[in-house]
Amino acid sequence: MHALHLRGLASVIVGTTVCLYAADKSKPTPAAPAPVDPYAEVQPATETLDLAMYQKIRDEGLNHSHVMEFASALADGIGPRLTASPNAKKANEWTRDTLTKIGLENAHLEDWGEFGMGWQQLNTWARMVTPDTAVLIVQATPWSPATSGPVTGEVVPVTIQDDKDFDKYKGKLEGKVVLYGAMRDVPPVEKALFDRYTEKELEDLAEFPVNANAGGIPPEMQARMRTFMERMRMVDKVAQFFADEKVAAVIEPSRDGRNGGGSGGTLFDDNGATLGRTPYIAEKKVKVPVVVAAIESYGRLFRLTQAHVPCSVEIDVETKFTGEHEHAFDTIAEIPGTDPKLKDQVVMLGGHLDSWIAGTGAADNGAGTVVAMEAVRILKALGVKPRRTIRIALWTGEEQGLFGSKGYVTQHFGSSKTSTAPDQMALPEFMRRAAGPLEVKPEQKLISGYFNVDNGSGKIHGIYTQGNAAIATVFAQWMEPLKDLGVTTITNRNTGGTDHLSFDAVGIPGFQFIQDSLDYDSRRHHSNMDVYEGLEAADLKQIATVEAIFVYNAAQRDQMLPRKPLPNPEQEQKLREPLPGIFPGAVTPEEKKP
């Protein structure tokens, strides 16, 4: 799951119809279904629910589940799935072939564009050799180059916070193993690393907060973005400096997890650990081997160097690049619709298939992948003939910036251009502010909605409407027969960080479910502990069952799901500007000009 995203893509669509000509000229041509404007559909006050189908889905999903078979095949049989890596290719092909085996049609891979370098970690180890011997817990950071076999070097701590710090280390680092990063606190684990929502927390989540920054970027987020931008400004310079100085290798400390979960040998190995802003781009690749260490391993080395004790480390980073301009793919498959008037309309579900490398990507987001697969398996096992087409999509490139879902949405539904303002160009593309004009495609009006799972394997308690207040009453009725499964909460709040944002940004209803956090943020998310053993089987059965019911209901409704007004990113900044002429006697700069 990716943490920083910018909403703001949008689209407007003109529906199209294909006329079918009868072979028998004497017979009148059947009238084509009238195009539907989902923004103008009148929604019913009462939902029509097929409670018999609810029961069938519950029975199949809870009593005959295959979700853990999918999970083991993906996490254990394939393993970590870094975008554009050989394992990502295996996962694409396995999901395509498995969806075909369980009865879906048109299972295929869609190329969303060039990503960058293909890479895999073959083996990484490190050990302290003086003043004592000790095994260190490390992994290569994604897209790190390899060492030329095992190398041994003196350990040297390096602190570079601004440009003037480089001079302190010039000519002093050749052949050294650099400790890059301050030793962080390792708090005692005094709070639970595994938890579930309380009733009070769900009640609070259901309340929509109204604050002074509604619609804007909160001050705390602005501060984090400034810190991020400053780090990004320095990181490429630091990486090049280490290469110029010919360091043997770099060791970075792992960050912490929620409630002090980043200890006990747990390490987090993602973009936050890489020594480069876009290390997967060949022109920006990191030129020195880099590993991230569990904080206990890093701490021993750090304290020895602070005490001026000579310390050396032997390290072997064995990695492999598999191409410099690799394309990446999404897996797509369908249960075709059967209603003559609605079959061209689509309900989508999915999650991201890619992961980081330290574990096997079981919770992030193997969980979302396998519950989507299980949801469509349930529907196929029951012989469901949906009115609308049900389409599953499993994305890659999510961890680097929603690339797979954004690429799919751009190709099929529409997009808006991103800002080229100087402050925006300093950000990665996925963080830049949208700036029109909007470019839209006809398929946008054919998508009823998209349902996403990407918060680990915790059970579903409800859903975020993403500010779509009109749909809250629809979901409330869908959820009433699911309250005994714990599905009770609807919030109009937005939630970010994953692929539903790509749909929401172009005016398509996109949703993420409310899930128990379990130990997702404390131990699993992007860590070496994101493995099969961290999955909760009962929760995954519940998620797949609930998602199957939501998808089925959306596919069967007479109307498409209600939509928010079409986004207009060109107007967003203007609408937040101060109203002119509010202060009496105020003179604008333009009026001051002679």
Side-chain angles (χ1 to χ4, degrees):
M1 174 178 180
H2 184 72
L4 290 172
H5 300 287
L6 182 67
R7 299 176 60 231
L9 300 173
S11 316
V12 164
I13 308 296
V14 177
T16 59
T17 340
V18 176
C19 294
L20 301 176
Y21 293 92
D24 186 346
K25 301 294 185 180
S26 63
K27 295 182 179 179
T29 302
V36 173
D37 182 358
Y39 294 95
E41 279 195 298
V42 177
Q43 298 290 330
T46 303
E47 292 291 295
T48 300
L49 302 181
D50 184 347
L51 296 180
M53 183 56 69
Y54 267 69
Q55 179 57 40
K56 291 177 182 178
I57 292 174
R58 287 171 64 120
D59 181 58
E60 181 65 29
L62 301 178
N63 298 324
H64 310 109
S65 176
H66 294 271
V67 70
M68 297 308 291
E69 295 171 41
F70 291 151
S72 183
L74 181 63
D76 299 330
I78 297 175
R81 304 168 299 280
L82 193 68
T83 300
S85 69
N87 273 13
K89 181 177 184 293
K90 289 180 184 178
N92 274 136
E93 294 171 348
W94 174 77
T95 51
R96 177 198 62 198
D97 297 344
T98 302
L99 290 168
T100 299
K101 288 176 184 177
I102 62 177
L104 273 71
E105 299 183 21
N106 193 29
H108 64 283
L109 307 183
E110 288 203 20
D111 185 340
W112 54 258
E114 181 178 316
F115 171 71
M117 294 190 292
W119 180 92
Q120 61 185 140
Q121 176 175 228
L122 303 176
N123 187 28
T124 296
W125 58 265
R127 67 186 188 101
M128 185 170 71
V129 292
T130 59
D132 190 14
T133 58
V135 175
L136 304 176
I137 302 174
V138 302
Q139 286 207 32
T141 60
W143 298 285
S144 166
T147 56
S148 54
V151 296
T152 302
E154 179 187 356
V155 176
V156 177
V158 171
T159 301
I160 299 176
Q161 295 180 329
D162 52 48
D163 292 331
K164 68 179 184 295
D165 291 332
F166 288 107
D167 291 338
K168 295 186 293 186
Y169 302 103
K170 283 184 178 177
K172 301 177 182 178
L173 299 180
E174 184 172 354
K176 304 293 196 268
V177 174
V178 168
L179 298 185
Y180 182 61
M183 179 62 194
R184 65 169 175 81
D185 291 336
V186 184
V189 180
E190 297 179 320
K191 296 182 179 180
L193 300 182
F194 184 103
D195 59 30
R196 296 185 183 274
Y197 275 113
T198 65
E199 289 187 13
K200 179 63 166 59
E201 288 170 336
L202 290 171
E203 289 173 2
D204 292 343
L205 184 59
E207 294 183 4
F208 186 79
V210 179
N211 56 65
N213 282 305
I217 300 176
E220 61 273 16
M221 177 60 76
Q222 294 180 16
R224 287 201 297 270
M225 288 179 66
R226 284 194 295 269
T227 301
F228 173 81
M229 290 174 66
E230 181 59 25
R231 182 183 184 277
M232 290 300 99
R233 187 186 73 83
M234 292 297 298
V235 71
D236 290 335
K237 289 184 178 181
V238 171
Q240 185 60 52
F241 177 72
F242 287 157
D244 293 342
E245 293 296 305
K246 298 181 175 60
V247 304
V250 176
I251 303 176
E252 293 197 338
S254 175
R255 62 173 171 83
D256 200 2
R258 180 174 54 82
N259 292 345
S263 59
T266 298
L267 62 85
F268 300 91
D269 196 359
D270 52 23
N271 261 357
T274 57
L275 196 64
R277 180 162 51 177
T278 51
Y280 49 85
I281 304 287
E283 295 76 16
K284 300 289 185 68
K285 65 183 176 184
V286 178
K287 301 178 179 65
V288 296
V290 186
V291 302
V292 60
I295 195 61
E296 295 85 356
S297 292
Y298 192 86
R300 186 176 184 186
L301 301 176
F302 187 87
R303 289 187 295 274
L304 287 169
T305 61
Q306 295 305 294
H308 307 291
V309 175
C311 178
S312 59
V313 162
E314 183 182 20
I315 189 168
D316 185 14
V317 178
E318 189 178 353
T319 61
K320 180 181 179 181
F321 289 92
T322 57
E324 292 195 343
H325 300 281
E326 298 295 290
H327 282 231
F329 300 83
D330 301 322
T331 304
I332 309 294
E334 295 178 337
I335 303 175
T338 58
D339 188 307
K341 294 183 178 180
L342 301 181
K343 65 182 181 181
D344 291 334
Q345 297 177 10
V346 179
V347 176
M348 294 188 66
L349 73 159
H352 72 88
L353 184 57
D354 64 304
S355 76
W356 290 106
I357 64 163
T360 59
D364 186 23
N365 184 32
T369 293
V370 299
V371 297
M373 296 174 69
E374 173 68 0
V376 294
R377 186 205 66 79
I378 290 169
L379 297 177
K380 284 299 299 182
L382 295 175
V384 168
K385 304 293 184 185
R387 299 178 70 190
R388 291 180 179 85
T389 294
I390 295 171
R391 181 181 298 160
I392 182 174
L394 304 173
W395 319 108
T396 60
E398 190 272 352
E399 296 291 4
Q400 291 74 46
L402 305 185
F403 291 153
S405 60
K406 182 181 176 182
Y408 183 88
V409 166
T410 298
Q411 291 172 17
H412 289 271
F413 309 134
S415 65
S416 63
K417 296 179 180 178
T418 54
S419 173
T420 56
D423 65 318
Q424 295 295 301
M425 294 302 291
L427 296 170
E429 182 180 1
F430 69 87
M431 292 178 61
R432 294 176 199 159
R433 185 172 60 243
L438 302 177
E439 297 178 0
V440 299
K441 297 185 178 181
E443 287 183 69
Q444 192 260 13
K445 282 191 177 179
L446 297 176
I447 303 297
S448 182
Y450 170 73
F451 297 95
N452 195 77
V453 172
D454 187 15
N455 282 328
S457 72
K459 69 187 287 188
I460 287 175
H461 284 286
I463 197 164
Y464 295 90
T465 73
Q466 209 68 21
N468 186 347
I471 207 168
T473 58
V474 175
F475 287 160
Q477 294 175 70
W478 291 8
M479 288 164 48
E480 187 65 30
L482 300 174
K483 285 188 174 180
D484 63 325
L485 293 180
V487 187
T488 61
T489 304
I490 298 170
T491 179
N492 284 324
R493 300 185 191 207
N494 292 335
T495 185
T498 193
D499 295 291
H500 69 291
L501 295 178
S502 297
F503 291 81
D504 183 72
V506 296
I508 295 170
F511 307 104
Q512 177 86 355
F513 292 96
I514 300 167
Q515 294 177 254
D516 276 331
S517 61
L518 308 183
D519 52 358
Y520 184 71
D521 290 316
S522 58
R523 296 190 66 201
R524 307 295 175 187
H525 182 242
H526 299 181
S527 84
N528 58 330
M529 291 293 106
D530 186 5
V531 291
Y532 177 90
E533 286 75 9
L535 299 176
E536 292 293 315
D539 287 26
L540 291 176
K541 291 179 183 180
Q542 186 257 18
I543 300 171
T545 300
V546 172
E547 188 169 38
I549 288 172
F550 268 70
V551 169
Y552 175 80
N553 285 344
Q556 298 303 100
R557 295 180 91 237
D558 290 335
Q559 299 79 16
M560 297 176 75
L561 297 176
R563 297 188 174 198
K564 296 182 292 187
L566 187 68
N568 190 336
E570 286 185 292
Q571 292 296 320
E572 281 297 307
Q573 295 302 312
K574 293 179 182 178
L575 292 173
R576 294 193 183 102
E577 292 175 358
L579 296 173
I582 294 296
F583 284 85
V587 180
T588 66
E590 290 76 15
E591 292 173 330
K592 286 183 178 180
K593 293 179 180 179

